Protein backbone atom coordinates (compact mmCIF):
# COMPACT_ATOMS: atom_id res chain seq x y z
CA UNK A 1 0.00 0.00 0.00
CA UNK A 2 1.02 3.62 -0.42
CA UNK A 3 3.07 4.92 2.52
CA UNK A 4 4.71 8.20 3.38
CA UNK A 5 7.14 7.84 6.30
CA UNK A 6 8.66 11.00 7.71
CA UNK A 7 11.82 11.56 9.70
CA UNK A 8 11.80 11.94 13.46
CA UNK A 9 11.26 14.91 15.72
CA UNK A 10 13.81 17.73 15.75
CA UNK A 11 14.79 20.39 18.27
CA UNK A 12 16.54 23.42 16.83
CA UNK A 13 17.77 26.78 18.09
CA UNK A 14 16.51 30.04 16.62
CA UNK A 15 18.36 30.93 13.43
CA UNK A 16 19.21 27.32 12.60
CA UNK A 17 17.87 25.24 9.70
CA UNK A 18 16.00 21.95 9.68
CA UNK A 19 15.56 19.36 6.93
CA UNK A 20 12.61 16.97 7.13
CA UNK A 21 12.38 13.88 4.92
CA UNK A 22 9.38 12.00 3.56
CA UNK A 23 10.20 8.54 2.23
CA UNK A 24 7.55 7.12 -0.07
CA UNK A 25 6.69 3.58 -1.15
CA UNK A 26 3.92 1.67 -2.86
CA UNK A 27 3.53 3.81 -5.96
CA UNK A 28 5.51 5.32 -8.83
CA UNK A 29 7.22 8.30 -7.19
CA UNK A 30 7.59 10.32 -10.40
CA UNK A 31 3.87 10.33 -11.15
CA UNK A 32 2.72 12.62 -8.35
CA UNK A 33 3.39 16.06 -6.99
CA UNK A 34 4.06 16.35 -3.26
CA UNK A 35 2.73 19.04 -0.92
CA UNK A 36 4.01 20.16 2.45
CA UNK A 37 1.65 21.37 5.15
CA UNK A 38 2.38 22.50 8.69
CA UNK A 39 0.34 22.79 11.87
CA UNK A 40 1.40 24.91 14.83
CA UNK A 41 0.33 23.69 18.29
CA UNK A 42 -3.43 24.09 18.69
CA UNK A 43 -3.75 25.72 15.29
CA UNK A 44 -5.09 24.80 11.86
CA UNK A 45 -3.43 23.41 8.76
CA UNK A 46 -1.24 25.72 6.69
CA UNK A 47 -0.20 24.95 3.12
CA UNK A 48 3.50 25.60 2.53
CA UNK A 49 4.12 24.59 -1.06
CA UNK A 50 4.31 21.88 -3.68
CA UNK A 51 7.04 20.23 -5.78
CA UNK A 52 6.48 18.66 -9.19
CA UNK A 53 7.19 15.00 -10.00
CA UNK A 54 10.61 15.59 -11.56
CA UNK A 55 11.63 18.02 -8.81
CA UNK A 56 12.54 20.88 -11.12
CA UNK A 57 9.55 23.09 -10.35
CA UNK A 58 8.31 24.29 -6.98
CA UNK A 59 5.56 26.62 -5.91
CA UNK A 60 5.84 28.08 -2.41
CA UNK A 61 3.26 29.98 -0.39
CA UNK A 62 4.16 33.66 -0.30
CA UNK A 63 4.80 33.47 3.43
CA UNK A 64 7.57 30.90 2.99
CA UNK A 65 9.17 32.06 -0.28
CA UNK A 66 12.44 33.20 1.31
CA UNK A 67 13.00 30.43 3.88
CA UNK A 68 11.74 27.16 2.43
CA UNK A 69 13.34 24.77 -0.05
CA UNK A 70 11.65 21.64 -1.33
CA UNK A 71 13.68 18.97 -3.09
CA UNK A 72 13.34 15.34 -4.02
CA UNK A 73 15.60 12.38 -4.67
CA UNK A 74 14.02 10.19 -7.32
CA UNK A 75 16.63 7.45 -6.75
CA UNK A 76 15.30 6.88 -3.21
CA UNK A 77 11.70 8.11 -3.72
CA UNK A 78 12.17 10.64 -0.96
CA UNK A 79 11.01 14.23 -0.64
CA UNK A 80 12.69 16.83 1.52
CA UNK A 81 11.60 20.09 3.14
CA UNK A 82 14.23 22.48 4.45
CA UNK A 83 13.30 25.52 6.52
CA UNK A 84 16.01 28.06 7.30
CA UNK A 85 16.34 30.96 9.76
CA UNK A 86 14.05 29.19 12.20
CA UNK A 87 12.14 31.19 14.78
CA UNK A 88 9.88 30.14 17.63
CA UNK A 89 6.80 30.60 15.43
CA UNK A 90 8.06 27.76 13.22
CA UNK A 91 7.42 25.27 16.02
CA UNK A 92 4.91 22.95 14.39
CA UNK A 93 4.18 19.51 13.02
CA UNK A 94 5.22 19.34 9.37
CA UNK A 95 3.39 16.95 7.03
CA UNK A 96 4.04 15.73 3.51
CA UNK A 97 0.95 14.82 1.50
CA UNK A 98 0.72 13.23 -1.94
CA UNK A 99 -1.14 15.19 -4.60
CA UNK A 100 -3.88 13.78 -6.79
CA UNK A 101 -5.82 15.51 -9.51
CA UNK A 102 -8.34 14.73 -12.19
CA UNK A 103 -11.54 16.24 -13.50
CA UNK A 104 -12.83 16.17 -9.90
CA UNK A 105 -10.20 18.63 -8.81
CA UNK A 106 -7.23 18.22 -6.46
CA UNK A 107 -6.80 16.37 -3.21
CA UNK A 108 -4.10 15.17 -0.79
CA UNK A 109 -3.90 11.47 0.00
CA UNK A 110 -2.23 9.94 1.88
CA UNK A 111 -0.39 12.07 4.41
CA UNK A 112 2.82 11.32 6.24
CA UNK A 113 2.63 10.78 9.98
CA UNK A 114 4.07 14.25 10.66
CA UNK A 115 7.38 15.53 12.03
CA UNK A 116 7.44 17.76 15.10
CA UNK A 117 9.96 20.56 14.83
CA UNK A 118 10.54 22.51 18.03
CA UNK A 119 12.43 25.79 17.89
CA UNK A 120 13.72 26.81 21.28
CA UNK A 121 16.78 28.50 22.72
CA UNK B 1 -4.51 35.57 -1.83
CA UNK B 2 -7.57 33.38 -1.53
CA UNK B 3 -9.09 32.46 1.84
CA UNK B 4 -11.51 29.80 2.99
CA UNK B 5 -13.82 30.47 5.94
CA UNK B 6 -15.23 27.78 8.23
CA UNK B 7 -17.28 27.99 11.42
CA UNK B 8 -14.95 27.23 14.34
CA UNK B 9 -17.21 24.67 16.01
CA UNK B 10 -20.48 22.78 15.66
CA UNK B 11 -22.18 20.14 17.74
CA UNK B 12 -24.51 17.32 16.76
CA UNK B 13 -26.54 14.77 18.69
CA UNK B 14 -25.56 11.15 18.17
CA UNK B 15 -27.30 9.81 15.05
CA UNK B 16 -28.33 13.23 13.79
CA UNK B 17 -27.10 15.21 10.77
CA UNK B 18 -24.53 17.99 10.77
CA UNK B 19 -23.38 20.23 7.93
CA UNK B 20 -19.93 21.84 7.90
CA UNK B 21 -19.58 24.79 5.54
CA UNK B 22 -16.62 26.36 3.77
CA UNK B 23 -16.76 29.70 1.93
CA UNK B 24 -14.30 31.28 -0.45
CA UNK B 25 -13.88 32.68 -3.94
CA UNK B 26 -11.68 29.79 -5.08
CA UNK B 27 -14.67 27.48 -4.65
CA UNK B 28 -16.40 29.15 -7.59
CA UNK B 29 -13.95 27.45 -9.95
CA UNK B 30 -12.54 24.49 -8.01
CA UNK B 31 -14.12 21.69 -6.03
CA UNK B 32 -12.85 21.38 -2.46
CA UNK B 33 -11.36 18.46 -0.63
CA UNK B 34 -12.20 17.68 3.01
CA UNK B 35 -10.00 16.24 5.75
CA UNK B 36 -10.77 14.76 9.15
CA UNK B 37 -8.18 15.13 11.87
CA UNK B 38 -8.36 13.51 15.29
CA UNK B 39 -6.09 14.62 18.17
CA UNK B 40 -2.50 13.60 17.69
CA UNK B 41 -3.12 12.13 14.24
CA UNK B 42 -2.42 13.16 10.67
CA UNK B 43 -5.33 14.43 8.57
CA UNK B 44 -7.33 11.89 6.57
CA UNK B 45 -9.13 12.59 3.30
CA UNK B 46 -12.89 12.05 3.64
CA UNK B 47 -14.36 13.70 0.53
CA UNK B 48 -13.18 15.36 -2.67
CA UNK B 49 -14.38 16.70 -5.97
CA UNK B 50 -18.08 16.93 -6.69
CA UNK B 51 -18.81 14.26 -4.03
CA UNK B 52 -16.28 11.45 -3.95
CA UNK B 53 -15.24 9.31 -0.99
CA UNK B 54 -11.97 7.43 -0.74
CA UNK B 55 -12.13 3.72 -0.13
CA UNK B 56 -12.94 3.01 3.52
CA UNK B 57 -14.78 6.26 4.23
CA UNK B 58 -18.39 5.64 5.31
CA UNK B 59 -21.16 6.84 3.01
CA UNK B 60 -22.52 9.06 5.78
CA UNK B 61 -19.90 11.60 4.63
CA UNK B 62 -21.10 13.56 1.60
CA UNK B 63 -19.98 16.75 -0.10
CA UNK B 64 -21.68 19.44 -2.15
CA UNK B 65 -20.83 22.83 -3.66
CA UNK B 66 -22.72 25.84 -4.95
CA UNK B 67 -21.21 29.16 -5.90
CA UNK B 68 -18.62 30.16 -3.33
CA UNK B 69 -19.84 27.72 -0.66
CA UNK B 70 -19.01 24.06 -0.14
CA UNK B 71 -20.43 21.73 2.48
CA UNK B 72 -19.51 18.44 4.10
CA UNK B 73 -22.52 16.67 5.58
CA UNK B 74 -22.38 13.86 8.11
CA UNK B 75 -25.70 12.00 8.04
CA UNK B 76 -26.20 9.94 11.19
CA UNK B 77 -23.16 11.18 13.11
CA UNK B 78 -21.29 8.59 15.18
CA UNK B 79 -19.13 9.09 18.24
CA UNK B 80 -16.03 8.35 16.17
CA UNK B 81 -16.82 11.29 13.89
CA UNK B 82 -15.85 13.73 16.64
CA UNK B 83 -12.83 15.51 15.15
CA UNK B 84 -11.59 18.64 13.41
CA UNK B 85 -12.58 19.01 9.77
CA UNK B 86 -10.71 21.12 7.21
CA UNK B 87 -11.65 22.15 3.69
CA UNK B 88 -8.99 22.79 1.07
CA UNK B 89 -9.07 24.28 -2.40
CA UNK B 90 -6.70 25.31 -5.15
CA UNK B 91 -6.46 28.98 -6.05
CA UNK B 92 -6.30 29.00 -9.85
CA UNK B 93 -4.89 32.54 -9.97
CA UNK B 94 -1.52 31.54 -8.52
CA UNK B 95 -1.53 27.72 -8.37
CA UNK B 96 -1.47 27.82 -4.59
CA UNK B 97 -3.63 25.84 -2.22
CA UNK B 98 -5.42 27.08 0.88
CA UNK B 99 -7.02 25.46 3.93
CA UNK B 100 -10.01 26.68 5.85
CA UNK B 101 -9.49 27.42 9.51
CA UNK B 102 -11.10 24.14 10.54
CA UNK B 103 -14.36 23.16 12.26
CA UNK B 104 -14.40 21.21 15.50
CA UNK B 105 -17.29 18.75 15.48
CA UNK B 106 -18.56 17.56 18.85
CA UNK B 107 -20.92 14.58 18.97
CA UNK B 108 -23.23 14.83 21.99
Amino acid sequence: QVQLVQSGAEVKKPGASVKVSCKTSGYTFTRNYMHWVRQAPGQGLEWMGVINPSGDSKNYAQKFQDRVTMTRDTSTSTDYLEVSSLRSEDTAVYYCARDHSDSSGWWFDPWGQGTLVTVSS
Amino acid sequence: SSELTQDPAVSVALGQTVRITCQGDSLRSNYPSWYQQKPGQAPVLVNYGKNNRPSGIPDRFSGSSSGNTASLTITGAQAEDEADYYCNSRDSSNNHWVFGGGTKVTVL
Side-chain angles (χ1 to χ4, degrees):
Chain A
Q1 76 279 23
V2 176
Q3 283 193 306
L4 307 181
V5 179
Q6 298 184 223
S7 48
E10 303 261 14
V11 179
K12 296 292 183 180
K13 293 192 183 302
S17 296
V18 68
K19 192 169 186 177
V20 177
S21 68
C22 172
K23 182 164 179 58
T24 74
S25 61
Y27 72 100
T28 302
F29 182 68
T30 50
R31 284 189 180 170
N32 295 79
Y33 290 67
M34 188 70 76
H35 296 263
W36 289 90
V37 176
R38 78 176 187 181
Q39 186 171 38
Q43 302 300 307
L45 302 174
E46 183 174 30
W47 182 79
M48 300 182 70
V50 60
I51 185 168
N52 74 335
S54 60
D56 58 0
S57 178
K58 301 109 179 185
N59 198 353
Y60 301 136
Q62 185 76 23
K63 176 178 181 178
F64 301 107
Q65 284 278 357
D66 297 332
R67 297 194 300 126
V68 160
T69 303
M70 295 176 189
T71 57
R72 57 176 23 196
D73 183 343
T74 55
S75 69
T76 61
S77 301
T78 302
D79 277 284
Y80 297 94
L81 170 74
E82 185 169 19
V83 184
S84 62
S85 303
L86 288 166
R87 33 208 189 226
S88 59
E89 309 90 88
D90 294 317
T91 293
V93 176
Y94 291 77
Y95 295 100
C96 56
R98 188 179 68 161
D99 175 275
H100 291 265
S101 64
D102 66 13
S103 58
S104 292
W106 289 261
W107 62 98
F108 305 160
D109 183 57
W111 295 56
Q113 84 276 18
T115 297
L116 175 62
V117 175
T118 303
V119 183
S120 174
S121 54
Chain B
S1 62
S2 185
E3 292 185 353
L4 295 176
T5 302
Q6 297 182 241
D7 291 329
V10 295
S11 60
V12 57
L14 184 67
Q16 296 304 300
T17 296
V18 62
R19 176 177 293 178
I20 304 161
T21 60
C22 175
Q23 286 190 306
D25 287 342
S26 61
L27 298 176
R28 295 186 185 279
S29 52
N30 292 292
Y31 287 117
S33 53
W34 291 92
Y35 303 88
Q36 176 193 71
Q37 187 181 35
K38 297 181 180 179
Q41 298 183 19
V44 173
L45 177 72
V46 294
N47 200 280
Y48 64 96
K50 194 172 183 179
N51 179 17
N52 300 291
R53 283 185 311 279
S55 173
I57 300 301
D59 60 5
R60 62 178 179 271
F61 290 92
S62 61
S64 62
S65 287
S66 178
N68 73 335
T69 302
S71 299
L72 177 72
T73 301
I74 309 174
T75 304
Q78 302 300 301
E80 60 264 31
D81 300 335
E82 189 163 286
D84 294 324
Y85 291 84
Y86 295 90
C87 60
N88 177 271
S89 176
R90 177 177 174 265
D91 183 348
S92 300
S93 67
N94 57 12
N95 201 33
H96 287 187
W97 278 256
V98 62
F99 285 94
T103 298
K104 182 176 182 58
V105 172
T106 300
V107 180
L108 304 173

